[in-house]
Amino acid sequence: MKAMQRVKCHLCEARPPRRACPALGRDICAVCCGQHREETIDCPFDCPHLREARLHEKPPERDPKTLPSNDIEVTERFLAENEPLVVLAGRILAVAALQTPGAVDSDVRDALDSLTRTYRTASSGLIYESRPANRIADAIVERFQKEMADFRERVAQQTGVHSVRDQDVLGSLVFWQRMEWQRNNGRRKGRAFIESLAGILPPPPPPQNPVLA
């Protein structure tokens, strides 16, 4: 019993541990969990303590003047008319972020910044590709561009025309850029926005039943 009482939090080594941290594989106290969550700890989405924190956390207050691409209007009509493209852009971003090791919300923000710059110039008739210095963000940009190019080519083959306009891709990206701006919780390793993106991915296919002889 005395040996159990001497067990301390793996991080602070002062308070008794109350929570099993799936990221560290060790027990930590509630205070350290709150302080280090998504700051120094790479919290998995299925951590029950992260899930509970998501229900109560509030993103930092945003200055409306810092709204990304505030010169571009994204109307309800645009979203309704381009819903499939907006959803597709979000899904590509989600897959790119989830499959890029170490990606956090700030990396997706940098990727979106570069992508909107690229499509802004493309929609005005110029050819200029902006790439972020952040290597993780750059990997997300590369994946997005490849998947979007493949999608546009499929549409062109099916319809006979290149009907996916740069301007509409830009509007879709600006929508997600603003969603990131709203949902980023400000933590250094925060993935609240990526987690919300993952929610629009199609569910995995049901497991196949074994064929009975």
Side-chain angles (χ1 to χ4, degrees):
M1 180 67 68
K2 291 182 178 180
M4 290 294 293
Q5 293 175 348
R6 290 196 296 269
V7 175
K8 301 297 183 182
C9 167
H10 172 65
L11 293 177
C12 68
E13 299 182 343
R15 291 175 288 268
R18 302 297 187 192
R19 298 180 176 181
C21 176
L24 299 176
R26 305 291 292 273
D27 292 342
I28 61 176
C29 67
V31 173
C32 282
C33 177
Q35 291 178 344
H36 293 275
R37 179 188 309 122
E38 293 192 313
E39 287 286 359
T40 63
I41 300 175
D42 297 304
C43 304
F45 291 145
D46 60 355
C47 171
H49 310 300
L50 178 66
R51 303 261 25 91
E52 179 66 22
R54 286 276 191 264
L55 299 176
H56 306 288
E57 72 179 1
K58 295 182 179 179
E61 291 188 10
R62 311 295 185 193
D63 182 349
K65 294 180 181 178
T66 66
L67 180 73
S69 305
N70 57 14
D71 62 317
I72 297 177
E73 186 178 14
V74 180
T75 64
E76 292 295 331
R77 178 177 178 179
F78 171 85
L79 295 176
E81 292 177 349
N82 294 276
E83 182 178 359
L85 180 61
V86 174
V87 172
L88 174 71
R91 287 177 173 176
I92 294 175
L93 285 169
V95 172
L98 291 170
Q99 294 186 358
T100 301
V104 297
D105 285 351
S106 59
D107 298 313
V108 181
R109 180 186 61 214
D110 290 349
L112 282 165
D113 181 65
S114 288
L115 286 166
T116 53
R117 289 174 187 270
T118 295
Y119 281 93
R120 183 190 289 267
T121 55
S123 63
S124 64
L126 301 176
I127 299 176
Y128 171 76
E129 185 175 20
S130 173
R131 299 298 289 262
N134 176 345
R135 63 176 182 80
I136 294 178
D138 188 60
I140 295 172
V141 168
E142 184 173 354
R143 177 68 178 267
F144 182 92
Q145 291 289 61
K146 178 182 182 304
E147 295 294 336
M148 183 56 68
D150 290 346
F151 168 73
R152 298 175 86 166
E153 183 60 30
R154 290 196 301 272
V155 171
Q157 290 176 355
Q158 293 170 3
T159 63
V161 295
H162 291 277
S163 57
V164 181
R165 302 187 306 166
D166 290 325
Q167 185 175 355
D168 294 336
V169 178
L170 173 62
S172 301
L173 288 168
V174 170
F175 170 79
W176 289 116
Q177 192 179 33
R178 293 173 182 172
M179 288 297 101
E180 190 281 330
W181 179 76
Q182 290 179 1
R183 296 177 181 177
N184 189 319
N185 61 16
R187 291 180 176 256
R188 191 168 67 88
K189 295 190 174 187
R191 296 193 298 161
F193 173 63
I194 294 175
E195 186 174 2
S196 70
L197 278 178
I200 65 171
L201 290 174
Q208 297 279 335
N209 291 326
V211 178
L212 300 178

